[in-house]
Amino acid sequence: MSTSFQQPQLRVDQVTKRYGEQRVVDRLSFELYPGECLGVIGPNGAGKTTTFRMCLGLSQPDQGSIEFFGMPMPQQALAIKARVGVVSQFDALDPDFNCAENLLVYGRYFGLRDALIRSRIPTLLEFAALSHKAQARPGELSGGMKRRLSLARALINDPQLLMLDEPTTGLDPQARHLMWERLLQLLGQGKSILLTTHFMDEAERLCDRLLVIDHGRKIAEGRPRELIQQHLEPDVVEVYGSNPLALAQGPLAAHAQRVEVSGETVFFYTQNAHALLAALESRLDLRTLHRPANLEDLFLKLTGRQIREGA
Ligand code: ADP
């Protein structure tokens, strides 16, 4: 949990990155406090990966500064990396080594003694639910197993802070749940996590705080529940019909504070859904879903409903 009087473990201060004329990260500032999970969310092209890469020292900011544990990145990259664990989006595991060997080789990059690494391997494989796969090579593992091996590998130096780039992208529901459980376990041990994600359910489950960015700028920051309360009406009634635009402009809209249309769905956002639900009772031709406002709604409100491809 974050407490403002603690020193942040990561401080990104007024960071700007330009590619040609475009500012892909624009005076971005945020902090990560000990033991908290901070999620960075934003549409494609928002600048998440660029920010992540600058934090890893892989790319240099044009302006501003990045500090981990009070040490500047990239000037003190080695000392910082000794205390940080990284799981990138693509599992860069060594295909020629088995799981245990992958951990051993990675531990050596940090200059750890073999005896120390070997003593950590069984616990880490168990943590990753991979004890039975110690001798298997990455090519023999499922996507979820590979991602958990990457996580185990990132823990070999017993880091205080973890940086995870889309930790569950491409995983099936079981594998995602197992990954979430493990990440919550790490937070329970007092580690801090900075993660990027496209999944609002993941952000809501794991993150103490969220940073919403778009066009390289911070557009919102706060605890998920508080952001939802701050920006949205509490109730949402989704209505699915054949003529969504007519529905959105029809008499039902009188019962909502805000109406949005996306594809064949009309979203009615309201302070009180009773009148709207009563009006919908006679409309047997429509399917409806009444639910509380969630992070997906927040994301769509703040960043727009248009899907941004590629970028
Ligand atoms: P996100 O991870 O949020 O999808 P990125 O950080 O990958 O966003 O990209 C932000 C913007 O920066 C995009 O418009 C992208 O095209 C641009 N960009 C990223 N890397 C480079 C690069 N090496 N050269 C030029 N433009 C880049």
Side-chain angles (χ1 to χ4, degrees):
M1 286 288 153
S2 70
T3 8
S4 50
F5 46 82
Q6 278 180 302
Q7 285 297 318
Q9 291 185 330
L10 166 61
R11 188 196 292 274
V12 170
D13 189 23
Q14 294 286 315
V15 162
T16 293
K17 179 76 187 176
R18 287 187 204 86
Y19 285 117
E21 289 296 295
Q22 196 194 358
R23 280 174 182 234
V24 300
V25 176
D26 193 0
R27 288 162 289 168
L28 184 66
S29 297
F30 65 91
E31 284 156 0
L32 175 70
Y33 288 92
E36 77 167 341
C37 181
L38 176 68
V40 183
I41 61 176
N44 286 337
K48 301 181 295 293
T49 308
T50 307
T51 303
F52 207 80
R53 286 175 53 80
M54 288 190 286
C55 287
L56 295 178
L58 298 171
S59 154
Q60 286 254 31
D62 293 312
Q63 268 154 8
S65 64
I66 299 175
E67 274 181 16
F68 286 84
F69 314 108
M71 297 181 280
M73 187 63 140
Q75 293 84 344
Q76 298 209 47
L78 270 184
I80 292 169
K81 283 179 182 170
R83 295 166 70 179
V84 173
V86 180
V87 181
S88 62
Q89 224 178 96
F90 309 99
D91 305 295
L93 299 161
D94 195 315
D96 298 326
F97 293 135
N98 67 33
C99 291
E101 290 164 345
N102 259 285
L103 298 184
L104 179 67
V105 171
Y106 202 71
R108 285 178 182 156
Y109 289 136
F110 294 100
L112 302 175
R113 283 176 299 111
D114 275 18
L116 177 65
I117 307 172
R118 285 185 201 283
S119 71
R120 287 180 179 171
I121 288 176
T123 320
L124 286 175
L125 287 177
E126 196 186 325
F127 174 78
L130 286 174
S131 300
H132 62 301
K133 294 283 182 187
Q135 308 307 319
R137 291 185 186 182
E140 302 163 51
L141 304 179
S142 69
M145 290 174 177
K146 278 188 207 154
R147 199 62 57 82
R148 294 200 300 280
L149 181 59
S150 298
L151 178 63
R153 199 179 62 160
L155 294 168
I156 197 76
N157 54 333
D158 193 21
Q160 289 157 287
L161 191 166
L162 282 161
M163 299 196 35
L164 314 173
D165 196 9
E166 299 189 22
T168 67
T169 295
L171 303 190
D172 67 27
Q174 277 96 338
R176 294 181 75 207
H177 279 280
L178 188 49
M179 181 60 96
W180 289 339
E181 188 207 305
R182 293 306 195 258
L183 296 179
L184 288 171
Q185 232 173 299
L186 294 170
L187 289 167
Q189 292 167 13
K191 297 194 189 297
S192 354
I193 296 181
L194 177 74
L195 66 83
T196 67
T197 184
H198 278 300
F199 301 115
M200 296 304 115
D201 53 345
E202 178 162 289
E204 192 150 7
R205 261 162 215 262
L206 295 179
C207 299
D208 299 301
R209 277 193 310 126
L210 289 175
L211 184 73
V212 190
I213 63 172
D214 199 7
H215 304 294
R217 291 192 205 118
K218 173 161 51 181
I219 55 171
E221 184 176 18
R223 295 181 177 278
R225 285 280 117 208
E226 288 170 8
L227 284 175
I228 290 168
Q229 279 166 14
Q230 204 178 320
H231 292 274
L232 297 167
E233 300 76 12
D235 278 53
V236 186
V237 179
E238 292 184 19
V239 180
Y240 314 101
S242 55
N243 194 345
L245 278 178
L247 268 178
Q249 288 159 1
L252 292 172
H255 304 296
Q257 271 71 50
R258 197 159 58 84
V259 183
E260 302 248 15
V261 178
S262 181
E264 34 69 80
T265 306
V266 188
F267 296 79
F268 293 95
Y269 291 90
T270 168
Q271 297 291 347
N272 181 347
H274 290 304
L276 177 59
L277 291 171
L280 277 164
E281 259 173 28
S282 58
R283 297 289 308 264
L284 297 174
D285 56 318
L286 300 172
R287 282 187 302 126
T288 64
L289 171 68
H290 175 207
R291 60 171 177 79
N294 61 29
L295 267 188
E296 196 92 32
D297 300 308
L298 176 83
F299 185 87
L300 293 172
K301 182 178 179 196
L302 294 182
T303 65
R305 282 188 185 273
Q306 243 136 30
I307 307 281
R308 284 178 226 168
E309 297 290 353

